Amino acid sequence: MPISRSDVSKGAPRQPAKARSRPTAASRARPRTNRESREDSVERIYHSALRLFVQQGYRSTSIDEIAAGAGLTKGGVYFYISKKEHLMAQMLDDIAARYIDAVIARIQAEEMTAQERLVAFMHSQVSFALEWPEEVLLLVMASVEFSKSGDMLTKKIDEIYGRMRSFIVQTIEEGMAKKVFKTKLHPSAAASFYVATHDGMMLEWYRRAAQTDGPELVRVFREAFLRVLS
Amino acid sequence: MPISRSDVSKGAPRQPAKARSRPTAASRARPRTNRESREDSVERIYHSALRLFVQQGYRSTSIDEIAAGAGLTKGGVYFYISKKEHLMAQMLDDIAARYIDAVIARIQAEEMTAQERLVAFMHSQVSFALEWPEEVLLLVMASVEFSKSGDMLTKKIDEIYGRMRSFIVQTIEEGMAKKVFKTKLHPSAAASFYVATHDGMMLEWYRRAAQTDGPELVRVFREAFLRVLS
Amino acid sequence: MPISRSDVSKGAPRQPAKARSRPTAASRARPRTNRESREDSVERIYHSALRLFVQQGYRSTSIDEIAAGAGLTKGGVYFYISKKEHLMAQMLDDIAARYIDAVIARIQAEEMTAQERLVAFMHSQVSFALEWPEEVLLLVMASVEFSKSGDMLTKKIDEIYGRMRSFIVQTIEEGMAKKVFKTKLHPSAAASFYVATHDGMMLEWYRRAAQTDGPELVRVFREAFLRVLS
Amino acid sequence: MPISRSDVSKGAPRQPAKARSRPTAASRARPRTNRESREDSVERIYHSALRLFVQQGYRSTSIDEIAAGAGLTKGGVYFYISKKEHLMAQMLDDIAARYIDAVIARIQAEEMTAQERLVAFMHSQVSFALEWPEEVLLLVMASVEFSKSGDMLTKKIDEIYGRMRSFIVQTIEEGMAKKVFKTKLHPSAAASFYVATHDGMMLEWYRRAAQTDGPELVRVFREAFLRVLS
DNA sequence: CATGAATGAGAGTTCATTCAT
DNA sequence: GATGAATGAACTCTCATTCAT
């Protein structure tokens, strides 16, 4: 009974979730049907896990904490997930689908120059990150936590980042073929630069949320990247 | 009896250290004196911990693993460290001293323009990172693992990064006062850009060590940063 | 989820519990409901801990031993207690409530002379000790084990003994005011004598259970104490 | 090379011993000969252990703490003792010899009535306890810590207490034979009363050192005991 | 005579996971 | 659909003890 919420969370309001230490039946609006109840719980688990994973890291977050944040007990969480690892994998897939694959698909569907494609990609990612910063951070932080750990999740992270890199490399190659980009930089190096800056930016933004002007950082990022390609 | 090896590791050869699971007497050249023995063990613990922390993260690395990597037993490691947390703190201090404070001190000691200072700083850090990539990675990864965790280490990391940021901000302000930099970017935003790119670069390099051309990435980084300031 | 069994153990039969080293499913009557299961386990933990703490002392008793005695595993015990220290604190509170506070409350509720009050107090404590010797011993032994150790439990023990002393001091003062007691002994010295003799008696009885005639010791104790006051 | 200091400690000044955390050679007056040095260290270990055992209990005191208190290191302590247990056994023997056996021997050597003998015994013990309270406390506390623990020390404690009991029982029997004591109390019960009150008194005194008037407690103790026998 | 390094056995505690109800 | 009880493995840390120097 795997979690999947690709579309569920769209407009989901982030509940403040003040460490509701003991879940009571009354603490959540009781949904009528099983279907609703299920979706509700899945939603709560997802958000609880997302918040906690980003804040404390995957390994430092216990199922108990996730459960408490979701207004359930440990056993209740295990009704929906089979393993902690699977929950994380599910979440990463979910985010990748929305943050990477959907964006690429939309862009590929339209007629554009390579440069336009790249800009569109950046803009889409930036918009997404502004709306759902935690999901993007989960990706970035997971890529750090699992980079070489030999964990089952290492592979998944690699694949996800691989898809992002491939798109950029392809687009740059296309642009170079059409002489849009004049850089002598190897496309894969350029992709690395994109990824590196992307990840660094997200981390910096999170670490210094209060002191950092996100949009300005993004503007600098975009210009730096495009100038690198010219 | 805190570990301290600020200068010890200078030319220390990284031993390959293929998970020597059980320490045997034969596995290390038996040093004659106590003094040597202590330094040797400290060195081994430091390197074992460094490698493992970078690879698996602090929290996922057990003292047992560190001990095995150092050719000691758990108890032996605890003879040198009082707490796992202190080992990490010690290591971070050590690295910060060499990677940040020493570099800044050296640069401040010389007569240079703001621009030259910044370039010198970047170059010094880059050289260091090329020679001791794991130490720099430890800093970056720790900054992710402990960013908001409320851990004792959070404060330490914040201070270290704070020192790096301060230097950059000061230097840029100086440069702006003397009209060397014309950017309208706020100095602290520029510092954030530096830090973000620095961290992202290190992570990307580590994740894709095999496929990435480190020096090229660095060149791009430098140019991007300097162009941002002009 | 703190243990609390103030009233649970009333008529609970002490099972002999010969170091049932490995818990087997068969080793306990499997209770039907959760409620029963919880109460049963709590009871088993309490008794196992009581026996072991009295026999070996708090610090020499491991959670593993308590668990084995309760037919559980270490983890199972930790489902009920949060810390070993809390288990002990809980037990001491529990015993103090029954052995001291309840007894005082009952006596204070009735009309009696100071002398009668004192005798009633002694009798109540003696009856209790004859029925639940281990609980009283736990108090006495803990008062030795933690007397000056700076442990969190030191404070608790002090408070408990303080309540006993206060009652005696007050009652003697009352009796002296009404000329019932003619002793020139300071009330607090008399209370000290009571406590000292009480503790010594319990220890002696325990150490020499086989060779000592408990009731006779008690008789001597009572007479000695009352004569001291006259 | 067992410790033995039966006579050494007579007038030894208790050093304040403010947790001298790191022993330095300079921290103690360097004795000239080996012989002196040895006696000095033995003395220091003995006193350090005594203080700590009484304060924290045997099991809660580590060799490291004893060593620090003696101005030595762990290894240094182990030069004099073979096992922690042996140190304790040695100390108990030592104390018993002075506090019990020597006292009995002296009294047996003189011509006295049974009553005089008992009084003399009490007085001797009381004097000793006033001068060396810690040694007596060690005996009492050890009797609690090891009463039924199955430890090697249990036997030793039992023997020591046995010698004290035997003397009292014998003396009372003698007195009863000569009609000096008229009590119907069984001699061994009277001995138990003595031991119980003795132990309780010592503990109470220690626990409430500040608030308790030792000598008064002792006077009450003596009178209570003698009245019990009449 | 004493130090300092090291071991190994265990202690307390946490936590992913399972399962009967 | 969810709870609460329980397990077992792993983890951090402590400590009596040994031994080369």
Side-chain angles (χ1 to χ4, degrees):
Chain A
M1 244 172 283
I3 267 192
S4 179
R5 51 175 296 295
S6 301
D7 40 9
V8 173
S9 73
K10 284 286 161 45
R14 293 304 132 69
Q15 72 264 36
K18 289 258 179 178
R20 193 181 326 150
S21 67
R22 278 264 113 199
T24 56
S27 73
R28 42 193 156 128
R30 190 176 287 285
R32 214 50 51 86
T33 70
N34 268 0
R35 182 91 197 294
E36 279 165 5
S37 160
R38 153 178 287 275
E39 272 166 15
D40 191 58
S41 290
V42 166
E43 190 68 7
R44 286 165 171 284
I45 291 171
Y46 181 97
H47 282 120
S48 174
L50 180 59
R51 181 167 21 91
L52 290 163
F53 285 164
V54 167
Q55 204 168 97
Q56 325 179 332
Y58 169 81
R59 281 191 261 241
S60 301
T61 299
S62 71
I63 300 288
D64 256 330
E65 287 173 298
I66 296 173
L72 288 175
T73 58
K74 225 180 340 195
V77 170
Y78 268 97
F79 183 79
Y80 293 102
I81 71 169
S82 45
K83 285 183 100 218
K84 194 186 170 192
E85 213 176 18
H86 292 351
L87 168 61
M88 183 59 149
Q90 227 8 261
M91 292 174 76
L92 292 175
D93 277 339
D94 203 73
I95 294 168
R98 294 152 61 205
Y99 184 58
I100 297 176
D101 306 321
V103 168
I104 292 177
R106 195 174 339 118
I107 289 172
Q108 301 284 39
E110 294 179 42
E111 282 289 320
M112 290 194 235
T113 68
Q115 162 127 17
E116 284 165 348
R117 246 194 252 298
L118 234 35
V119 170
F121 184 67
M122 284 179 67
H123 279 187
S124 295
Q125 288 210 324
V126 163
S127 302
F128 189 100
L130 286 172
E131 193 169 9
W132 289 294
E134 286 182 322
E135 353 275 286
V136 181
L137 273 165
L138 186 70
L139 225 48
V140 176
M141 295 178 102
S143 89
V144 176
E145 192 164 0
F146 301 105
S147 47
K148 290 270 170 57
S149 68
D151 215 285
M152 296 251 126
L153 291 167
T154 305
K155 230 181 97 217
K156 178 158 300 286
I157 289 283
D158 283 353
E159 282 168 11
I160 293 174
Y161 269 74
R163 298 207 292 276
M164 192 156 100
R165 277 197 189 85
S166 295
F167 170 77
I168 299 170
V169 166
Q170 274 173 37
T171 310
I172 293 179
E173 278 170 348
E174 191 191 317
M176 288 173 83
K178 299 202 172 154
K179 314 284 186 194
V180 179
F181 303 135
K182 308 149 207 165
T183 180
K184 279 171 301 186
L185 203 58
H186 193 286
S188 86
S192 265
F193 182 72
Y194 179 90
V195 171
T197 321
H198 168 275
D199 286 8
M201 219 69 58
M202 287 304 304
L203 291 176
E204 179 68 6
W205 183 24
Y206 177 62
R207 283 190 300 225
R208 301 186 49 78
Q211 300 89 331
T212 303
D213 182 355
E216 182 167 33
L217 205 54
V218 164
R219 202 177 330 116
V220 176
F221 167 33
R222 190 191 53 196
E223 289 184 23
F225 181 58
L226 291 178
R227 242 184 276 177
V228 155
L229 291 178
S230 61
Chain B
M1 244 173 285
I3 272 192
S4 180
R5 51 175 295 296
S6 303
D7 41 9
V8 173
S9 72
K10 282 289 160 42
R14 291 306 130 67
Q15 72 265 36
K18 289 258 180 178
R20 196 182 325 149
S21 66
R22 277 268 118 195
T24 57
S27 73
R28 43 190 156 134
R30 194 168 282 285
R32 215 51 51 84
T33 72
N34 261 356
R35 182 88 198 292
E36 280 164 6
S37 160
R38 156 174 279 272
E39 270 166 19
D40 192 59
S41 291
V42 165
E43 191 69 8
R44 285 164 173 285
I45 291 170
Y46 182 97
H47 282 121
S48 175
L50 180 59
R51 180 167 21 90
L52 289 163
F53 286 164
V54 166
Q55 204 169 94
Q56 324 178 335
Y58 170 80
R59 284 192 257 246
S60 302
T61 299
S62 72
I63 300 288
D64 257 329
E65 286 173 298
I66 295 173
L72 288 174
T73 59
K74 219 175 359 184
V77 170
Y78 270 101
F79 180 75
Y80 294 100
I81 71 171
S82 45
K83 277 182 111 237
K84 193 187 171 191
E85 211 178 17
H86 293 351
L87 169 60
M88 184 60 150
Q90 216 21 246
M91 293 175 76
L92 292 175
D93 276 339
D94 208 72
I95 294 169
R98 295 152 62 206
Y99 184 57
I100 297 178
D101 306 319
V103 168
I104 292 177
R106 199 181 329 124
I107 289 173
Q108 303 283 40
E110 294 179 42
E111 283 288 320
M112 290 194 236
T113 68
Q115 163 127 15
E116 283 165 346
R117 248 194 249 298
L118 272 186
V119 170
F121 185 67
M122 284 179 67
H123 279 188
S124 294
Q125 289 210 323
V126 163
S127 302
F128 188 100
L130 286 172
E131 193 169 7
W132 290 295
E134 286 181 321
E135 354 274 285
V136 180
L137 272 164
L138 187 69
L139 228 46
V140 175
M141 296 179 99
S143 87
V144 176
E145 191 164 0
F146 299 105
S147 46
K148 291 271 168 62
S149 67
D151 217 286
M152 293 250 128
L153 292 167
T154 305
K155 226 182 103 222
K156 180 160 296 289
I157 288 283
D158 283 353
E159 283 167 11
I160 293 174
Y161 268 74
R163 299 206 292 275
M164 190 155 102
R165 278 199 186 86
S166 295
F167 170 77
I168 299 171
V169 166
Q170 274 173 38
T171 311
I172 292 179
E173 279 169 348
E174 188 191 319
M176 288 172 83
K178 300 201 173 156
K179 315 281 184 197
V180 179
F181 303 134
K182 307 151 206 162
T183 181
K184 278 171 304 184
L185 204 57
H186 192 286
S188 85
S192 264
F193 182 71
Y194 180 89
V195 171
T197 322
H198 167 275
D199 286 8
M201 218 69 58
M202 287 304 304
L203 291 175
E204 179 68 7
W205 182 25
Y206 176 61
R207 283 190 300 225
R208 304 188 44 79
Q211 300 90 333
T212 303
D213 181 355
E216 181 166 32
L217 205 53
V218 164
R219 204 179 325 118
V220 176
F221 167 33
R222 190 192 51 197
E223 288 184 22
F225 181 58
L226 291 178
R227 241 183 277 175
V228 155
L229 290 178
S230 61
Chain C
M1 244 173 282
I3 271 192
S4 181
R5 52 174 295 293
S6 303
D7 40 8
V8 174
S9 74
K10 283 287 160 42
R14 291 306 130 68
Q15 71 264 36
K18 289 259 179 176
R20 196 181 323 149
S21 67
R22 277 266 118 197
T24 57
S27 74
R28 43 190 155 134
R30 193 171 282 285
R32 215 51 50 87
T33 71
N34 262 356
R35 181 87 197 293
E36 281 164 6
S37 160
R38 156 174 279 272
E39 271 166 18
D40 192 59
S41 291
V42 165
E43 190 69 8
R44 285 164 173 286
I45 291 171
Y46 182 96
H47 282 120
S48 175
L50 181 59
R51 182 167 20 90
L52 290 163
F53 285 164
V54 166
Q55 204 168 97
Q56 324 179 334
Y58 168 81
R59 285 192 258 245
S60 303
T61 299
S62 73
I63 300 287
D64 257 329
E65 286 173 299
I66 295 174
L72 288 173
T73 58
K74 219 173 2 182
V77 169
Y78 269 100
F79 180 74
Y80 294 102
I81 71 171
S82 45
K83 279 182 110 237
K84 195 188 171 191
E85 210 178 18
H86 293 351
L87 169 60
M88 184 58 150
Q90 222 11 256
M91 292 176 76
L92 292 175
D93 277 339
D94 208 71
I95 294 170
R98 294 152 62 206
Y99 184 58
I100 296 178
D101 306 320
V103 168
I104 292 177
R106 198 179 332 121
I107 288 173
Q108 302 283 39
E110 293 180 42
E111 284 287 322
M112 289 194 236
T113 67
Q115 162 127 17
E116 284 166 344
R117 248 194 251 297
L118 234 35
V119 170
F121 184 67
M122 284 179 68
H123 280 188
S124 293
Q125 289 210 324
V126 163
S127 302
F128 189 100
L130 287 173
E131 195 169 6
W132 289 295
E134 286 181 322
E135 354 276 284
V136 180
L137 273 164
L138 187 69
L139 227 46
V140 175
M141 296 178 98
S143 87
V144 176
E145 192 164 0
F146 300 106
S147 46
K148 291 270 168 63
S149 66
D151 217 286
M152 294 249 126
L153 292 167
T154 305
K155 227 182 101 219
K156 179 160 296 289
I157 288 283
D158 283 353
E159 282 168 11
I160 293 174
Y161 268 74
R163 298 206 292 275
M164 192 155 101
R165 279 199 186 86
S166 294
F167 171 76
I168 299 172
V169 166
Q170 274 173 37
T171 310
I172 292 179
E173 279 170 347
E174 189 191 320
M176 288 172 84
K178 300 201 174 159
K179 315 284 186 196
V180 180
F181 302 134
K182 306 150 208 164
T183 182
K184 279 171 302 185
L185 203 59
H186 193 287
S188 85
S192 264
F193 182 71
Y194 180 89
V195 171
T197 322
H198 167 275
D199 286 8
M201 219 69 58
M202 287 304 305
L203 291 175
E204 179 68 6
W205 182 24
Y206 176 62
R207 285 190 299 226
R208 302 187 48 77
Q211 301 89 333
T212 303
D213 181 355
E216 182 167 32
L217 204 55
V218 164
R219 203 178 326 118
V220 177
F221 167 33
R222 190 192 53 196
E223 288 185 21
F225 182 58
L226 291 178
R227 241 184 277 176
V228 155
L229 291 178
S230 61
Chain D
M1 243 171 283
I3 267 191
S4 180
R5 52 174 296 294
S6 301
D7 42 6
V8 174
S9 73
K10 281 290 159 46
R14 293 304 132 68
Q15 73 264 35
K18 289 257 177 178
R20 192 181 328 148
S21 66
R22 278 264 115 199
T24 57
S27 73
R28 42 194 155 126
R30 192 174 287 283
R32 215 49 51 85
T33 70
N34 268 0
R35 180 91 198 295
E36 278 164 6
S37 161
R38 152 180 289 277
E39 271 166 18
D40 191 57
S41 290
V42 165
E43 190 68 9
R44 286 165 171 284
I45 291 172
Y46 181 97
H47 282 120
S48 175
L50 181 59
R51 181 168 19 90
L52 289 164
F53 286 165
V54 166
Q55 202 169 98
Q56 324 178 333
Y58 168 81
R59 282 190 260 244
S60 303
T61 299
S62 70
I63 300 287
D64 257 330
E65 287 173 299
I66 296 173
L72 288 174
T73 58
K74 226 179 341 195
V77 170
Y78 268 98
F79 182 79
Y80 294 102
I81 71 170
S82 46
K83 284 184 98 215
K84 195 186 170 193
E85 214 176 16
H86 293 350
L87 169 60
M88 183 59 149
Q90 222 17 254
M91 293 175 75
L92 293 174
D93 277 340
D94 202 72
I95 294 169
R98 296 152 60 207
Y99 184 57
I100 297 178
D101 306 320
V103 169
I104 292 177
R106 199 181 328 125
I107 289 173
Q108 301 284 38
E110 295 179 39
E111 283 288 320
M112 289 194 236
T113 67
Q115 164 126 17
E116 285 164 348
R117 247 194 251 299
L118 272 186
V119 170
F121 184 67
M122 283 179 69
H123 280 187
S124 295
Q125 289 211 321
V126 163
S127 303
F128 188 101
L130 286 172
E131 194 169 7
W132 291 295
E134 286 182 322
E135 353 275 286
V136 181
L137 273 164
L138 186 70
L139 226 47
V140 176
M141 294 178 103
S143 88
V144 176
E145 192 164 359
F146 301 105
S147 47
K148 291 269 168 61
S149 67
D151 216 284
M152 297 252 125
L153 292 166
T154 305
K155 228 181 99 218
K156 177 158 300 288
I157 288 282
D158 283 353
E159 282 167 12
I160 293 174
Y161 268 73
R163 298 207 291 278
M164 190 155 100
R165 276 197 189 88
S166 294
F167 170 76
I168 299 171
V169 166
Q170 275 173 37
T171 310
I172 293 179
E173 278 170 350
E174 189 189 319
M176 287 173 82
K178 300 202 173 157
K179 312 285 185 194
V180 178
F181 302 135
K182 307 152 206 165
T183 181
K184 279 171 301 184
L185 204 58
H186 192 286
S188 85
S192 265
F193 182 72
Y194 180 89
V195 172
T197 321
H198 168 273
D199 286 8
M201 218 71 56
M202 288 303 305
L203 291 175
E204 179 68 6
W205 183 26
Y206 176 62
R207 282 190 301 225
R208 301 185 50 78
Q211 300 89 333
T212 302
D213 181 355
E216 182 168 34
L217 205 54
V218 165
R219 203 180 326 118
V220 177
F221 167 33
R222 189 191 55 195
E223 288 184 22
F225 182 57
L226 291 178
R227 241 184 276 176
V228 154
L229 291 178
S230 61

